[in-house]
Amino acid sequence: MSDEPETGAGSRTTSDLVVERLLEWGIDTVFGICGDQINGFFEALRVHPQMRFVHVRHEESAALACVGYAKFTGRPAACVATAGPGAVHLLNGLYDARIDGAPVIAITGLSYHDTVGTHFLQDLPSDRLFEHACMFSERVMGPTHAVPATDLAVRSALMNRTPSHLAIPIDVQSFTLEQDTASPKNVPGHLSTAPQPFTVVPPEEQLRRAAEVLNNCERVAICAGAGARGAGDVLEQVAEVLGAPIVKAGLGKDCVPDDSPYTTGGMGLIGTRASHEAFENCDGFLIVGSSTPYYEFWPEPGQARGVQIDLNADRIAMRYPVEAGLVGHADAVLDRLLPLLERKEDRSFLTQAQDTYRRWWDLIGEQAADSGMPMRPQVVTWELSKALPDGAIVTGDAGTVTAWGGRLRLRRGMRYSFSGTLCTMGSALPYAIGAQLAHPDRPVIAFTGDGSMSMGMGELATLAQYELPIKVVVLRNNSLALEVWEQTALLGNPQVGCALHPIDFAAVARACGLKAFLIDDPSEAPGVFAEAMATDGPCLIEAVTDPDEAPFGESLQPAHAQHLAQAFDKGEPAAHAMARNLLQHGRVALSPALQQHYDALARFR
């Protein structure tokens, strides 16, 4: 046998070497489920108790928990699954990581090294299957290959902010160094875990070009996305100098707090009227770390002169024809751009945006206060916002709950994220599990709907098993309500296939060992949320809400309002309730689209 690599000693197995190298990289948490073709790796987890293993109920949740962990730390956790179906279950969560830019390490089993590709039990080539989801995906060939492969997997995840994957055949998992022979090219001592922090900034001449564009505009609007997270302080300074409202794409919700004097909140169908006005009337456009797919709500091409900041050079000018592209980390780029900007003395553009934003929040407050039964979702967001503890981490989900999550009012120091681009239903709870394990001293709230909660109810048992003090808020309206509004407003068709059988989520939570609350009366919401947030340990709050409350009335475009009228004409069964909620006076006053199509919709009120 040739000289052993620097990590080799005794009878350590391939799995031991992988686990030990992950620990050297500072990766000390792994989510997953055991299985016959990954159990050799689980033996390494048993004998390395410093690697914390979290047993989830579904492999997709394991990968999504890693995404939550990474989004709120910037560091990877690992997920592990057996071969075949276990590996396939990981894929959606790994795509979530790939698309939203989260570093994750995935480890899967494979068939025996000499039965791969021979139609053996669970014989799926996960190394090839994962190649598109994971920028780095390799099969570990033996103990002497374990450390080089692990190092490259971790470096790729950190550098590219993507998932990496190691596939290990079941027998190779338990091979020892004595059973392997290193090649002459695997030189002992050639590896290290040297850190790789870096900051990217563009050349001075490009910064000056960008400043020139912005300085020659009168009304600048800023769109901030996920790439602006962590750059909030300097972003607000830039907004102050430019007199520019900060419009937040969904994944940028926590880049500045919702009570910042510079923000107008979210954008798109689930955004605010103030954000839409800013985009409709600006002549300068600064994009910071956003490639939102809802760019049809951005300024019209040619309307505004554009500058874009993004760490990914291939995303410059992908959504808008900017004149200047600045490739780099948002905080560093903004810090260097700021001294080159000229203060705009005319503050009217920002002042108008602030006034409309205040009117929008006033409307939300009125809707929350004027609610009968079934309760409007605005009651939940309004009262939950007041009850959120300082420093809270909130995880959102896909569905109408995405819109209502956008109406949670985050204070400075709070964090928020969700499956923003892939829109994975059922992600809020595993995200919260990852966030809570990463930040055990911070309050964590999972904000989800009944459609998404029913996809991952098993993870309530995970909360109980590990006594994770997560508060799970479930909006129950017995409907895939976002699909109702998308079928009607986007296509002009009546709803179909959207009804959900009612589930008593509070009873399910109690059966799993959690404390649970039920809110169906608006007057009970303040007291229940206060009690729930003060509860030690995990708990679930089920809020029964109106399925026909419009999640985006103030932000509809004229075509959407026209489609709604068409769907109502075709026989939409909830047309009366939907029209009644849409056409409330305060909402119509903020919505040019509802004003334009008021008469067509009012026939159904």
Side-chain angles (χ1 to χ4, degrees):
M1 181 175 179
S2 65
D3 291 337
E4 295 173 355
E6 67 275 20
T7 57
S11 59
R12 278 149 49 208
T13 66
T14 304
S15 300
D16 291 329
L17 294 165
V18 171
V19 170
E20 289 166 11
R21 199 59 165 184
L22 290 175
L23 288 167
E24 288 183 55
W25 278 103
I27 300 169
D28 62 1
T29 302
V30 56
F31 303 89
I33 303 176
C34 57
D36 57 344
Q37 300 204 57
I38 195 61
N39 279 339
F41 187 82
F42 270 76
E43 171 61 11
L45 295 179
R46 185 187 71 82
V47 300
H48 292 86
Q50 60 271 48
M51 178 65 78
R52 173 175 52 186
F53 173 67
V54 181
H55 179 193
V56 296
R57 270 53 185 181
H58 194 286
E59 290 90 352
E60 181 183 18
S61 294
L64 289 169
C66 286
V67 180
Y69 187 103
K71 282 191 172 186
F72 294 107
T73 64
R75 305 190 313 273
C79 52
V80 60
T82 192
V88 173
H89 283 165
L90 286 178
L91 261 178
N92 190 74
L94 296 178
Y95 270 113
D96 194 64
R98 177 65 181 261
I99 293 172
D100 274 3
V104 168
I105 307 298
I107 298 164
T108 65
L110 279 175
S111 178
Y112 293 92
H113 83 280
D114 55 354
T115 63
V116 169
T118 65
H119 199 60
F120 194 71
L121 184 73
Q122 297 183 333
D123 182 21
L124 288 179
S126 55
D127 51 338
R128 299 202 297 272
L129 182 67
F130 284 23
E131 281 180 345
H132 187 262
C134 301
M135 187 165 285
F136 180 93
S137 182
E138 290 295 341
R139 184 177 302 183
V140 178
M141 307 299 290
T144 58
H145 188 215
V147 172
T150 302
D151 280 358
L152 284 173
V154 175
R155 289 193 184 279
S156 176
L158 290 171
M159 172 66 187
N160 300 305
R161 295 171 293 123
T162 54
S164 291
H165 170 234
L166 298 174
I168 316 176
I170 178 59
D171 48 348
V172 173
Q173 292 167 31
S174 300
F175 284 178
T176 65
L177 281 161
E178 291 83 358
Q179 295 173 285
D180 201 3
T181 300
S183 73
K185 294 295 185 181
N186 195 356
V187 178
H190 79 279
L191 301 169
S192 79
T193 57
Q196 57 189 75
F198 67 100
T199 300
V200 177
V201 293
E204 182 72 14
E205 110 183 35
Q206 293 181 16
L207 289 164
R208 292 191 179 280
R209 171 59 180 156
E212 179 188 5
V213 171
L214 296 172
N215 289 336
N216 281 286
C217 298
E218 296 180 359
R219 303 176 304 280
V220 177
I222 299 171
C223 181
R229 300 178 80 208
D233 290 345
V234 67
L235 185 62
E236 287 183 303
Q237 293 175 50
V238 168
E240 164 61 26
V241 170
L242 294 176
I246 300 171
V247 178
K248 298 186 290 186
L251 284 172
K253 179 173 173 60
D254 65 355
C255 67
V256 296
D258 289 306
D259 57 4
S260 166
Y262 303 102
T263 192
T264 56
M267 59 150 288
L269 265 179
I270 61 174
T272 74
R273 182 60 200 152
S275 295
H276 290 190
E277 281 186 353
F279 285 161
E280 290 165 1
N281 298 314
C282 69
D283 66 354
F285 189 35
L286 174 59
I287 308 164
V288 183
S290 177
S291 55
T292 174
Y294 300 106
Y295 59 99
E296 71 269 25
F297 291 89
W298 280 6
E300 292 287 338
Q303 167 195 325
R305 301 183 68 184
V307 172
Q308 184 173 357
I309 300 169
D310 206 292
L311 186 57
N312 297 317
D314 60 352
R315 298 191 182 183
I316 299 293
M318 183 172 71
R319 305 291 196 213
Y320 196 81
V322 297
E323 296 180 42
L326 303 176
V327 177
H329 290 89
D331 53 349
V333 176
L334 290 169
D335 190 58
R336 287 160 175 78
L337 181 64
L338 181 60
L340 305 176
L341 299 175
E342 298 171 0
R343 178 179 172 82
K344 300 197 184 298
E345 298 305 324
D346 183 352
R347 318 300 286 179
S348 59
F349 186 61
L350 176 59
T351 301
Q352 175 60 43
Q354 292 169 328
D355 179 65
T356 305
Y357 189 52
R358 176 190 54 76
R359 289 169 54 209
W360 183 79
W361 274 119
D362 288 346
L363 173 62
I364 300 299
E366 292 169 7
Q367 292 170 339
D370 181 25
S371 180
M373 295 174 65
M375 182 171 59
R376 301 173 84 170
Q378 292 92 324
V379 176
V380 178
T381 59
W382 191 260
E383 297 300 336
L384 177 57
S385 294
K386 293 189 288 186
L388 288 175
D390 290 340
I393 296 173
V394 183
T395 60
D397 222 316
T400 51
V401 72
T402 309
W404 305 124
R407 285 147 174 77
L408 290 172
R409 198 161 190 168
L410 300 186
R411 304 188 300 275
R412 200 167 297 275
M414 293 181 176
R415 303 289 304 279
Y416 181 92
S417 196
F418 68 111
S419 176
T421 309
L422 194 58
C423 301
T424 293
M425 290 182 68
S427 57
L429 185 48
Y431 266 34
I433 291 170
Q436 188 71 84
L437 287 164
H439 298 285
D441 297 328
R442 294 185 67 167
V444 177
I445 295 88
F447 188 68
T448 187
D450 50 358
S452 44
M453 185 71 248
S454 61
M455 288 186 170
M457 282 191 292
E459 303 312 331
L460 295 174
T462 303
L463 302 190
Q465 180 171 344
Y466 294 97
E467 300 180 342
L468 299 175
I470 294 168
K471 315 309 179 204
V472 183
V473 179
V474 183
L475 302 186
R476 178 166 73 84
N477 56 22
N478 303 326
S479 172
L480 293 175
L482 183 61
E483 298 314 309
V484 172
W485 290 95
E486 289 183 337
Q487 289 173 3
T488 54
L490 301 188
L491 298 177
N493 297 325
Q495 62 173 292
V496 60
C498 300
L500 293 175
H501 180 75
I503 296 174
D504 188 340
F505 292 100
V508 173
R510 293 187 190 102
C512 291
L514 277 63
K515 188 170 184 178
F517 303 86
L518 175 68
I519 309 172
D520 58 8
D521 184 333
S523 65
E524 298 171 351
V528 170
F529 281 125
E531 183 179 355
M533 295 303 154
T535 298
D536 292 332
C539 71
L540 180 142
I541 307 97
E542 178 183 354
V544 181
T545 59
D546 184 354
D548 300 316
E549 177 61 32
F552 41 54
E554 311 85 57
S555 51
L556 285 172
Q557 293 182 329
H560 300 141
Q562 183 178 15
H563 285 152
L564 282 166
Q566 291 171 355
F568 294 173
D569 281 332
K570 291 180 180 180
E572 164 55 44
H576 173 74
M578 293 169 71
R580 181 193 65 227
N581 289 334
L582 271 172
L583 297 181
Q584 292 162 359
H585 175 72
R587 177 172 278 157
V588 173
L590 281 174
S591 173
L594 291 179
Q595 294 166 22
Q596 181 176 338
H597 293 279
Y598 183 88
D599 291 341
L601 294 168
R603 294 184 292 114
F604 298 91
R605 188 168 54 179

